[in-house]
Amino acid sequence: NKYVYWGTLLFISAIAGLRNETIDVDTHSYKSIFTWISNGIIYLIEPVWYILNEWIASIGLSFNVLLWIASLLTLIPLGIVCLRCSVNSLMSLFFYYGLYGYLKSFNQMRQFVAISLVLLAYSYIFRKKFFLACFQLAVSFHYSSVISLIILYSKRIYLTRSRVIFGVLISFLLGLILTDSMFVLLAGPYAGYLDSDAVYRDNFLYTIMLSILMNLLYLFSFSTLEKAVS
């Protein structure tokens, strides 16, 4: 039922828009950026996000409107992708919510808008102009979207079960043995999180359990896809 489907998306987007700025780590930072841009201060950030902040402030709307629009820009493309590419769209939304994607988007708003636009772009990969438009918009929300271009070359890599398991084991081991100084080089501007209370590298058991669960989920997804294709 499409009314239930889109009604669900609208409802959870409204929750995201009505939340207080104290909910999640970076919401107050986005509020500060919104205030600075409202006061005419030039803040170096991705262009479309800057324009969106400036436009909302110029017509006298509040920060919560920005939160709601950001949620809509995340959930609508994601909803379209689920309808186009999933055999059970509501179940796909359930996994998005159940695996913490929805709540994580409260914190990483620009990143999740970009992720949704990248997914939308690849769901229309054979419509070149639309694909490029979605991809360029994603980059305009978060520059890291450029990395997703590597997917275009993934078909040249033949993934077998043994290669997937080997890759998962290597990534698991690297995450355990890399020192903080190595992470600083890899993380770039996000290296500051290594010194924050939000980092769980000191909690070894938590790190192990989370890594194992995510890797098992990936292996299960690959195995299910492998069976479906064969």
Coordinates of all heavy atoms in Angstrom, one line a residue, residues 83-166:
L83 N 11.5 1.2 -3.5 CA 10.4 0.8 -4.4 C 10.9 0.2 -5.7 O 10.3 -0.8 -6.2 CB 9.5 2.0 -4.7 CG 8.5 2.4 -3.5 CD1 7.8 3.7 -3.9 CD2 7.5 1.3 -3.2
R84 N 12.0 0.8 -6.2 CA 12.5 0.3 -7.5 C 13.3 -1.0 -7.4 O 13.3 -1.8 -8.3 CB 13.4 1.4 -8.1 CG 12.6 2.6 -8.6 CD 13.6 3.7 -9.1 NE 14.6 3.2 -10.1 CZ 14.3 3.0 -11.4 NH1 13.1 3.3 -11.9 NH2 15.3 2.5 -12.2
C85 N 14.0 -1.1 -6.3 CA 15.0 -2.2 -6.2 C 14.8 -3.3 -5.2 O 15.5 -4.3 -5.2 CB 16.4 -1.6 -5.9 SG 16.9 -0.3 -7.1
S86 N 13.8 -3.1 -4.4 CA 13.5 -4.1 -3.3 C 12.3 -4.9 -3.6 O 11.3 -4.4 -4.1 CB 13.4 -3.5 -1.9 OG 13.1 -4.4 -0.9
V87 N 12.3 -6.2 -3.3 CA 11.1 -7.1 -3.4 C 10.1 -6.8 -2.3 O 9.0 -7.2 -2.4 CB 11.5 -8.5 -3.5 CG1 12.3 -8.8 -4.8 CG2 12.2 -9.0 -2.3
N88 N 10.6 -6.2 -1.2 CA 9.8 -5.9 -0.1 C 10.2 -4.5 0.5 O 11.1 -4.4 1.3 CB 9.9 -7.0 1.0 CG 8.8 -6.8 2.1 OD1 8.4 -5.7 2.4 ND2 8.4 -7.9 2.7
S89 N 9.6 -3.5 0.0 CA 10.0 -2.1 0.3 C 9.9 -1.8 1.8 O 10.8 -1.2 2.3 CB 9.2 -1.1 -0.5 OG 9.3 -1.4 -1.9
L90 N 8.8 -2.2 2.4 CA 8.6 -1.9 3.8 C 9.6 -2.6 4.7 O 10.1 -2.1 5.7 CB 7.2 -2.3 4.2 CG 6.1 -1.2 3.9 CD1 4.7 -1.8 4.3 CD2 6.3 0.1 4.6
M91 N 10.0 -3.8 4.3 CA 11.0 -4.6 5.0 C 12.4 -3.9 4.9 O 13.1 -3.8 5.8 CB 11.1 -6.0 4.5 CG 12.1 -6.9 5.2 SD 11.8 -7.0 7.0 CE 10.3 -8.1 7.0
S92 N 12.6 -3.3 3.7 CA 13.9 -2.6 3.5 C 13.9 -1.4 4.4 O 15.0 -1.0 5.0 CB 14.0 -2.1 2.0 OG 14.1 -3.3 1.2
L93 N 12.8 -0.7 4.5 CA 12.7 0.5 5.4 C 12.9 0.0 6.9 O 13.5 0.7 7.7 CB 11.4 1.2 5.3 CG 11.2 2.0 4.0 CD1 9.8 2.7 4.0 CD2 12.3 3.1 3.9
F94 N 12.3 -1.1 7.2 CA 12.5 -1.7 8.6 C 14.0 -1.9 8.9 O 14.5 -1.6 10.0 CB 11.7 -3.0 8.7 CG 12.0 -3.7 10.0 CD1 11.5 -3.3 11.2 CD2 12.9 -4.8 10.0 CE1 11.8 -3.9 12.4 CE2 13.2 -5.5 11.1 CZ 12.7 -5.1 12.4
F95 N 14.7 -2.5 7.9 CA 16.1 -2.7 8.1 C 16.9 -1.4 8.2 O 17.8 -1.2 9.0 CB 16.7 -3.5 7.0 CG 16.5 -5.0 7.2 CD1 15.7 -5.7 6.3 CD2 17.1 -5.7 8.2 CE1 15.5 -7.1 6.5 CE2 16.9 -7.0 8.4 CZ 16.1 -7.7 7.5
Y96 N 16.5 -0.4 7.5 CA 17.1 1.0 7.6 C 16.9 1.5 9.0 O 17.8 2.1 9.5 CB 16.5 1.9 6.5 CG 16.9 3.3 6.6 CD1 18.2 3.7 6.3 CD2 16.1 4.3 7.1 CE1 18.6 5.0 6.4 CE2 16.5 5.6 7.2 CZ 17.8 6.0 6.9 OH 18.2 7.3 7.0
Y97 N 15.7 1.4 9.5 CA 15.4 1.8 10.8 C 16.1 0.9 11.9 O 16.7 1.4 12.8 CB 13.9 1.9 11.1 CG 13.5 2.4 12.4 CD1 13.4 3.8 12.7 CD2 13.3 1.5 13.5 CE1 13.1 4.2 13.9 CE2 12.9 2.0 14.7 CZ 12.8 3.3 15.0 OH 12.5 3.8 16.2
G98 N 15.9 -0.4 11.7 CA 16.4 -1.3 12.7 C 17.9 -1.4 12.9 O 18.4 -1.7 13.9
L99 N 18.6 -1.1 11.8 CA 20.1 -1.1 11.8 C 20.7 0.3 12.1 O 21.8 0.5 11.8 CB 20.6 -1.6 10.5 CG 20.3 -3.1 10.2 CD1 20.8 -3.5 8.8 CD2 21.0 -4.0 11.2
Y100 N 19.8 1.1 12.7 CA 20.3 2.4 13.2 C 20.5 3.5 12.2 O 21.0 4.6 12.5 CB 21.5 2.2 14.1 CG 21.8 3.2 15.1 CD1 20.9 3.4 16.2 CD2 22.9 4.1 15.1 CE1 21.1 4.4 17.2 CE2 23.1 5.0 16.1 CZ 22.2 5.2 17.1 OH 22.4 6.1 18.1
G101 N 20.2 3.2 10.9 CA 20.4 4.2 9.9 C 19.6 5.5 10.1 O 20.1 6.6 9.9
Y102 N 18.3 5.3 10.4 CA 17.5 6.5 10.6 C 18.0 7.3 11.8 O 18.1 8.6 11.6 CB 16.1 6.0 10.9 CG 15.1 7.0 11.4 CD1 14.7 8.1 10.6 CD2 14.6 7.0 12.7 CE1 13.8 9.0 11.0 CE2 13.7 8.0 13.2 CZ 13.3 9.0 12.3 OH 12.5 10.0 12.8
L103 N 18.3 6.7 12.9 CA 18.8 7.5 14.0 C 20.2 8.1 13.8 O 20.5 9.2 14.2 CB 18.8 6.7 15.3 CG 17.4 6.2 15.8 CD1 17.6 5.3 17.0 CD2 16.6 7.4 16.1
K104 N 21.0 7.4 13.0 CA 22.3 7.9 12.7 C 22.2 9.1 11.8 O 23.1 10.0 11.8 CB 23.1 6.8 12.0 CG 24.6 7.0 12.0 CD 25.2 6.9 13.3 CE 26.7 7.0 13.3 NZ 27.3 7.0 14.7
S105 N 21.2 9.2 11.0 CA 21.0 10.4 10.1 C 20.7 11.6 10.9 O 20.8 12.7 10.4 CB 19.9 10.1 9.1 OG 18.6 10.1 9.8
F106 N 20.3 11.5 12.2 CA 20.1 12.7 13.0 C 21.5 13.4 13.2 O 21.5 14.6 13.4 CB 19.6 12.3 14.4 CG 18.1 11.9 14.4 CD1 17.4 11.7 13.2 CD2 17.4 11.8 15.6 CE1 16.1 11.4 13.2 CE2 16.1 11.5 15.6 CZ 15.4 11.3 14.4
N107 N 22.5 12.6 13.3 CA 23.9 13.1 13.5 C 24.6 13.5 12.3 O 25.1 14.7 12.1 CB 24.7 12.1 14.3 CG 26.0 12.6 14.7 OD1 26.2 13.7 15.1 ND2 27.0 11.8 14.6
Q108 N 24.6 12.6 11.3 CA 25.3 12.9 10.1 C 24.4 13.3 8.9 O 24.2 12.5 8.0 CB 26.1 11.6 9.7 CG 27.1 11.2 10.8 CD 27.7 9.8 10.6 OE1 27.2 9.0 9.9 NE2 28.8 9.6 11.2
M109 N 23.8 14.4 9.1 CA 22.7 14.8 8.1 C 23.2 14.9 6.7 O 22.6 14.4 5.8 CB 22.1 16.1 8.6 CG 21.2 15.9 9.9 SD 20.2 17.4 10.2 CE 21.4 18.5 10.8
R110 N 24.2 15.7 6.5 CA 24.7 15.9 5.1 C 25.2 14.6 4.5 O 24.9 14.3 3.3 CB 25.9 16.9 5.1 CG 25.5 18.3 5.4 CD 26.8 19.2 5.5 NE 27.7 18.8 6.5 CZ 29.0 18.6 6.4 NH1 29.5 18.7 5.2 NH2 29.7 18.2 7.4
Q111 N 25.9 13.8 5.3 CA 26.3 12.5 4.8 C 25.2 11.6 4.4 O 25.2 10.9 3.3 CB 27.2 11.7 5.9 CG 28.5 12.4 6.1 CD 28.4 13.4 7.3 OE1 27.4 14.1 7.5 NE2 29.5 13.5 8.1
F112 N 24.1 11.5 5.1 CA 23.0 10.6 4.8 C 22.2 11.2 3.6 O 21.6 10.4 2.9 CB 22.1 10.4 6.0 CG 22.6 9.2 6.8 CD1 23.6 9.3 7.7 CD2 22.0 8.0 6.7 CE1 24.1 8.2 8.5 CE2 22.4 6.9 7.4 CZ 23.4 7.0 8.3
V113 N 22.1 12.5 3.5 CA 21.4 13.0 2.3 C 22.2 12.6 1.1 O 21.7 12.1 0.0 CB 21.3 14.6 2.3 CG1 20.9 15.1 1.0 CG2 20.4 15.0 3.4
A114 N 23.6 12.7 1.2 CA 24.4 12.3 0.1 C 24.3 10.8 -0.2 O 24.3 10.4 -1.4 CB 25.9 12.7 0.4
I115 N 24.3 10.0 0.8 CA 24.2 8.6 0.6 C 22.9 8.2 -0.1 O 22.9 7.4 -1.1 CB 24.2 7.8 2.0 CG1 25.6 7.9 2.5 CG2 23.8 6.4 1.8 CD1 25.7 7.4 4.0
S116 N 21.8 8.8 0.3 CA 20.5 8.6 -0.4 C 20.5 9.0 -1.8 O 20.0 8.3 -2.7 CB 19.4 9.3 0.4 OG 19.2 8.7 1.7
L117 N 21.1 10.1 -2.1 CA 21.2 10.6 -3.5 C 22.1 9.7 -4.4 O 21.8 9.5 -5.5 CB 21.7 12.0 -3.5 CG 20.7 13.1 -3.0 CD1 21.4 14.4 -2.9 CD2 19.5 13.2 -3.9
V118 N 23.2 9.2 -3.8 CA 24.0 8.2 -4.5 C 23.3 7.0 -4.8 O 23.3 6.4 -5.9 CB 25.3 7.9 -3.7 CG1 26.0 6.7 -4.3 CG2 26.2 9.1 -3.7
L119 N 22.5 6.5 -3.8 CA 21.7 5.3 -4.1 C 20.7 5.5 -5.2 O 20.4 4.7 -6.1 CB 21.0 4.8 -2.8 CG 21.9 4.3 -1.7 CD1 21.1 4.0 -0.4 CD2 22.5 2.9 -2.1
L120 N 20.1 6.7 -5.1 CA 19.1 7.1 -6.2 C 19.8 7.1 -7.5 O 19.2 6.6 -8.6 CB 18.4 8.4 -5.8 CG 17.3 8.9 -6.8 CD1 16.2 7.9 -6.8 CD2 16.9 10.3 -6.4
A121 N 21.0 7.7 -7.6 CA 21.7 7.8 -8.8 C 22.0 6.4 -9.4 O 21.7 6.2 -10.6 CB 23.0 8.6 -8.6
Y122 N 22.4 5.5 -8.6 CA 22.8 4.2 -9.1 C 21.5 3.3 -9.5 O 21.6 2.4 -10.3 CB 23.6 3.4 -8.1 CG 25.1 3.8 -8.3 CD1 25.7 4.6 -7.4 CD2 25.8 3.3 -9.3 CE1 27.1 5.0 -7.6 CE2 27.2 3.7 -9.5 CZ 27.8 4.5 -8.6 OH 29.1 4.9 -8.8
S123 N 20.4 3.7 -8.9 CA 19.1 3.0 -9.3 C 18.7 3.4 -10.7 O 17.8 2.8 -11.3 CB 18.0 3.2 -8.3 OG 17.5 4.5 -8.3
Y124 N 19.2 4.6 -11.2 CA 18.9 5.1 -12.5 C 20.2 5.1 -13.3 O 20.4 6.0 -14.2 CB 18.3 6.5 -12.4 CG 16.9 6.5 -12.0 CD1 16.6 6.7 -10.6 CD2 15.8 6.3 -12.9 CE1 15.3 6.8 -10.2 CE2 14.5 6.4 -12.4 CZ 14.2 6.6 -11.1 OH 12.9 6.7 -10.7
I125 N 21.1 4.2 -13.1 CA 22.4 4.2 -13.7 C 22.4 4.2 -15.3 O 23.3 4.8 -15.9 CB 23.3 3.1 -13.2 CG1 24.7 3.3 -13.6 CG2 22.8 1.7 -13.7 CD1 25.7 2.4 -12.9
F126 N 21.3 3.6 -15.8 CA 21.2 3.6 -17.3 C 20.6 4.9 -17.9 O 20.5 5.0 -19.1 CB 20.4 2.3 -17.7 CG 21.1 1.1 -17.4 CD1 20.6 0.3 -16.4 CD2 22.3 0.7 -18.0 CE1 21.3 -0.9 -16.0 CE2 23.0 -0.5 -17.6 CZ 22.5 -1.3 -16.6
R127 N 20.1 5.8 -17.1 CA 19.7 7.1 -17.5 C 20.8 8.1 -17.2 O 20.8 8.6 -16.1 CB 18.4 7.4 -16.9 CG 17.2 6.5 -17.3 CD 15.9 6.8 -16.6 NE 15.5 8.2 -16.6 CZ 14.4 8.6 -16.0 NH1 13.6 7.8 -15.4 NH2 14.1 9.9 -16.1
K128 N 21.7 8.2 -18.1 CA 22.9 8.9 -17.9 C 22.8 10.3 -17.3 O 23.4 10.7 -16.3 CB 23.8 9.0 -19.1 CG 25.2 9.6 -19.0 CD 26.0 9.5 -20.2 CE 27.3 10.1 -20.0 NZ 28.1 10.0 -21.3
K129 N 21.9 11.1 -17.9 CA 21.7 12.5 -17.4 C 21.2 12.6 -16.0 O 21.6 13.4 -15.2 CB 20.8 13.3 -18.4 CG 21.4 13.5 -19.7 CD 20.5 14.4 -20.6 CE 21.1 14.7 -21.9 NZ 20.2 15.5 -22.8
F130 N 20.2 11.7 -15.7 CA 19.6 11.7 -14.3 C 20.7 11.2 -13.3 O 20.8 11.7 -12.2 CB 18.4 10.8 -14.3 CG 17.6 10.9 -13.0 CD1 16.8 12.0 -12.8 CD2 17.7 10.0 -12.0 CE1 16.1 12.1 -11.6 CE2 17.0 10.0 -10.8 CZ 16.2 11.1 -10.6
F131 N 21.4 10.2 -13.7 CA 22.5 9.6 -12.9 C 23.5 10.7 -12.5 O 23.8 10.9 -11.3 CB 23.2 8.5 -13.6 CG 24.4 8.0 -12.9 CD1 24.3 7.1 -11.8 CD2 25.7 8.4 -13.3 CE1 25.5 6.7 -11.1 CE2 26.8 8.0 -12.6 CZ 26.7 7.1 -11.6
L132 N 23.9 11.5 -13.5 CA 24.9 12.5 -13.3 C 24.4 13.6 -12.4 O 25.1 14.2 -11.6 CB 25.4 13.0 -14.6 CG 26.3 12.1 -15.4 CD1 26.6 12.7 -16.8 CD2 27.6 11.8 -14.7
A133 N 23.1 14.0 -12.7 CA 22.5 15.1 -11.9 C 22.4 14.7 -10.4 O 22.7 15.5 -9.5 CB 21.1 15.4 -12.4
C134 N 21.9 13.4 -10.1 CA 21.8 13.0 -8.7 C 23.2 12.9 -8.1 O 23.4 13.3 -6.9 CB 21.2 11.6 -8.7 SG 19.4 11.6 -9.0
F135 N 24.2 12.4 -8.9 CA 25.5 12.3 -8.3 C 26.1 13.6 -8.0 O 26.8 13.8 -6.9 CB 26.4 11.5 -9.3 CG 27.7 11.0 -8.7 CD1 27.7 9.8 -8.0 CD2 28.8 11.7 -8.8 CE1 28.9 9.4 -7.4 CE2 30.0 11.3 -8.3 CZ 30.1 10.2 -7.5
Q136 N 26.0 14.6 -8.9 CA 26.5 15.9 -8.7 C 25.9 16.6 -7.5 O 26.5 17.3 -6.7 CB 26.4 16.8 -9.9 CG 27.3 16.4 -11.1 CD 26.9 17.1 -12.3 OE1 25.9 17.8 -12.4 NE2 27.7 16.9 -13.4
L137 N 24.6 16.3 -7.3 CA 23.9 16.9 -6.1 C 24.4 16.3 -4.9 O 24.5 16.9 -3.8 CB 22.4 16.7 -6.3 CG 21.4 17.3 -5.3 CD1 21.6 18.8 -5.3 CD2 20.0 17.0 -5.5
A138 N 24.6 15.0 -4.9 CA 25.2 14.3 -3.7 C 26.5 14.8 -3.3 O 26.8 15.1 -2.1 CB 25.3 12.8 -4.0
V139 N 27.4 15.1 -4.3 CA 28.7 15.7 -4.0 C 28.6 17.1 -3.4 O 29.3 17.5 -2.6 CB 29.6 15.7 -5.3 CG1 30.9 16.4 -5.0 CG2 29.9 14.3 -5.7
S140 N 27.5 17.8 -3.9 CA 27.3 19.2 -3.4 C 26.8 19.2 -1.9 O 26.9 20.2 -1.3 CB 26.2 19.9 -4.3 OG 26.7 20.0 -5.6
F141 N 26.3 18.0 -1.5 CA 25.9 17.9 -0.1 C 27.1 17.4 0.8 O 27.2 17.8 1.9 CB 24.7 17.0 0.1 CG 23.4 17.7 0.0 CD1 22.6 17.6 -1.2 CD2 22.9 18.5 1.0 CE1 21.4 18.3 -1.3 CE2 21.7 19.1 1.0 CZ 20.9 19.0 -0.2
H142 N 27.9 16.5 0.2 CA 29.1 16.0 1.0 C 30.1 15.5 -0.1 O 29.8 14.6 -0.9 CB 28.7 14.9 1.9 CG 29.6 14.8 3.1 ND1 30.8 14.1 3.0 CD2 29.6 15.3 4.3 CE1 31.4 14.2 4.1 NE2 30.7 14.9 5.0
Y143 N 31.3 16.1 0.0 CA 32.3 15.8 -1.0 C 32.8 14.4 -1.0 O 33.2 13.9 -2.0 CB 33.5 16.7 -0.7 CG 33.3 18.2 -0.9 CD1 33.7 19.1 0.0 CD2 32.6 18.7 -2.0 CE1 33.5 20.5 -0.1 CE2 32.3 20.0 -2.2 CZ 32.8 20.9 -1.2 OH 32.5 22.3 -1.4
S144 N 32.6 13.7 0.1 CA 33.0 12.3 0.2 C 32.2 11.4 -0.8 O 32.6 10.2 -1.0 CB 32.8 11.7 1.6 OG 31.5 11.7 2.0
S145 N 31.1 11.9 -1.3 CA 30.3 11.1 -2.3 C 31.2 10.7 -3.5 O 30.8 9.7 -4.2 CB 29.1 11.9 -2.8 OG 28.3 12.3 -1.7
V146 N 32.2 11.4 -3.8 CA 33.0 11.1 -5.0 C 33.6 9.7 -4.9 O 33.7 9.0 -5.9 CB 34.2 12.1 -5.0 CG1 35.2 11.7 -6.1 CG2 33.7 13.5 -5.3
I147 N 33.8 9.2 -3.7 CA 34.4 7.9 -3.5 C 33.5 6.8 -4.1 O 34.0 5.7 -4.5 CB 34.6 7.6 -2.0 CG1 35.6 8.6 -1.4 CG2 35.1 6.2 -1.7 CD1 35.8 8.5 0.1
S148 N 32.2 7.0 -4.1 CA 31.2 6.0 -4.6 C 31.4 5.8 -6.1 O 30.8 4.8 -6.6 CB 29.8 6.4 -4.2 OG 29.4 7.6 -4.9
L149 N 32.1 6.6 -6.8 CA 32.3 6.3 -8.2 C 33.0 5.0 -8.4 O 33.0 4.4 -9.5 CB 33.2 7.5 -8.8 CG 32.4 8.7 -9.2 CD1 33.4 9.8 -9.7 CD2 31.4 8.4 -10.3
I150 N 33.7 4.5 -7.4 CA 34.4 3.2 -7.5 C 33.5 2.1 -7.8 O 33.9 1.1 -8.4 CB 35.2 2.9 -6.2 CG1 36.3 1.9 -6.5 CG2 34.3 2.5 -5.1 CD1 37.2 1.7 -5.3
I151 N 32.2 2.3 -7.5 CA 31.2 1.2 -7.8 C 31.1 1.0 -9.3 O 30.8 -0.1 -9.7 CB 29.8 1.6 -7.2 CG1 29.9 1.8 -5.7 CG2 28.8 0.6 -7.5 CD1 28.7 2.3 -5.0
L152 N 31.3 2.0 -10.1 CA 31.3 1.8 -11.5 C 32.2 0.8 -12.0 O 32.0 0.2 -13.1 CB 31.6 3.2 -12.2 CG 30.5 4.3 -12.0 CD1 31.0 5.6 -12.7 CD2 29.2 3.8 -12.7
Y153 N 33.3 0.6 -11.3 CA 34.3 -0.4 -11.7 C 34.3 -1.7 -11.0 O 35.1 -2.6 -11.2 CB 35.7 0.2 -11.5 CG 35.9 1.5 -12.3 CD1 35.7 2.7 -11.6 CD2 36.3 1.5 -13.6 CE1 35.8 3.9 -12.3 CE2 36.4 2.7 -14.3 CZ 36.2 3.9 -13.7 OH 36.3 5.1 -14.4
S154 N 33.3 -1.8 -10.1 CA 33.2 -3.0 -9.3 C 32.8 -4.3 -10.1 O 33.1 -5.4 -9.7 CB 32.1 -2.8 -8.2 OG 30.8 -2.6 -8.7
K155 N 32.2 -4.1 -11.3 CA 31.8 -5.2 -12.1 C 33.0 -5.9 -12.6 O 33.0 -7.1 -13.1 CB 30.9 -4.8 -13.2 CG 31.5 -3.9 -14.2 CD 30.4 -3.5 -15.3 CE 31.0 -2.6 -16.3 NZ 30.1 -2.2 -17.4
R156 N 34.2 -5.3 -12.6 CA 35.4 -5.9 -13.1 C 36.0 -6.8 -12.0 O 37.0 -7.5 -12.3 CB 36.4 -4.8 -13.5 CG 35.9 -3.9 -14.6 CD 37.0 -2.9 -15.0 NE 36.5 -2.0 -16.1 CZ 37.2 -1.0 -16.6 NH1 38.5 -0.8 -16.2 NH2 36.7 -0.2 -17.6
I157 N 35.5 -6.7 -10.8 CA 36.0 -7.5 -9.7 C 35.0 -8.7 -9.5 O 33.9 -8.4 -9.1 CB 36.2 -6.7 -8.4 CG1 37.1 -5.5 -8.7 CG2 36.8 -7.6 -7.3 CD1 37.2 -4.5 -7.5
Y158 N 35.5 -9.9 -9.7 CA 34.6 -11.0 -9.5 C 34.7 -11.5 -8.0 O 35.7 -11.9 -7.6 CB 35.0 -12.2 -10.4 CG 34.1 -13.4 -10.3 CD1 32.8 -13.3 -10.7 CD2 34.6 -14.6 -9.8 CE1 32.0 -14.4 -10.6 CE2 33.8 -15.7 -9.6 CZ 32.5 -15.6 -10.1 OH 31.6 -16.7 -9.9
L159 N 33.6 -11.3 -7.3 CA 33.6 -11.6 -5.9 C 33.2 -13.1 -5.7 O 32.0 -13.5 -6.0 CB 32.6 -10.7 -5.1 CG 33.0 -9.2 -5.0 CD1 31.9 -8.5 -4.3 CD2 34.3 -9.1 -4.3
T160 N 34.1 -13.9 -5.2 CA 33.7 -15.2 -4.8 C 33.5 -15.2 -3.2 O 33.9 -14.3 -2.6 CB 34.8 -16.2 -5.1 OG1 36.0 -15.8 -4.5 CG2 35.1 -16.2 -6.6
R161 N 33.0 -16.3 -2.7 CA 32.7 -16.4 -1.3 C 34.1 -16.3 -0.5 O 34.2 -15.7 0.5 CB 32.0 -17.7 -0.9 CG 31.6 -17.8 0.5 CD 30.8 -19.0 0.8 NE 29.5 -18.9 0.1 CZ 28.5 -19.8 0.2 NH1 28.6 -20.8 1.0 NH2 27.4 -19.6 -0.5
S162 N 35.1 -17.0 -1.0 CA 36.4 -17.0 -0.4 C 37.0 -15.7 -0.3 O 37.6 -15.2 0.7 CB 37.3 -18.0 -1.0 OG 37.5 -17.7 -2.4
R163 N 36.9 -14.9 -1.4 CA 37.4 -13.5 -1.5 C 36.7 -12.6 -0.5 O 37.3 -11.8 0.1 CB 37.3 -13.0 -2.9 CG 38.3 -13.6 -3.9 CD 38.2 -13.1 -5.3 NE 39.1 -13.7 -6.2 CZ 39.2 -13.4 -7.5 NH1 38.4 -12.4 -8.0 NH2 40.0 -14.0 -8.3
V164 N 35.4 -12.8 -0.4 CA 34.7 -11.9 0.5 C 35.1 -12.2 1.9 O 35.3 -11.3 2.7 CB 33.1 -12.1 0.3 CG1 32.3 -11.5 1.4 CG2 32.7 -11.6 -1.0
I165 N 35.1 -13.5 2.3 CA 35.5 -13.9 3.7 C 36.9 -13.4 4.0 O 37.2 -12.8 5.1 CB 35.4 -15.4 3.9 CG1 34.0 -15.8 3.8 CG2 36.0 -15.8 5.2 CD1 33.8 -17.3 3.8
F166 N 37.8 -13.5 3.0 CA 39.2 -13.1 3.2 C 39.3 -11.5 3.4 O 39.9 -11.0 4.3 CB 40.1 -13.4 2.0 CG 41.5 -12.9 2.0 CD1 42.4 -13.6 2.9 CD2 41.9 -11.9 1.3 CE1 43.7 -13.1 2.9 CE2 43.2 -11.4 1.3 CZ 44.1 -12.0 2.2

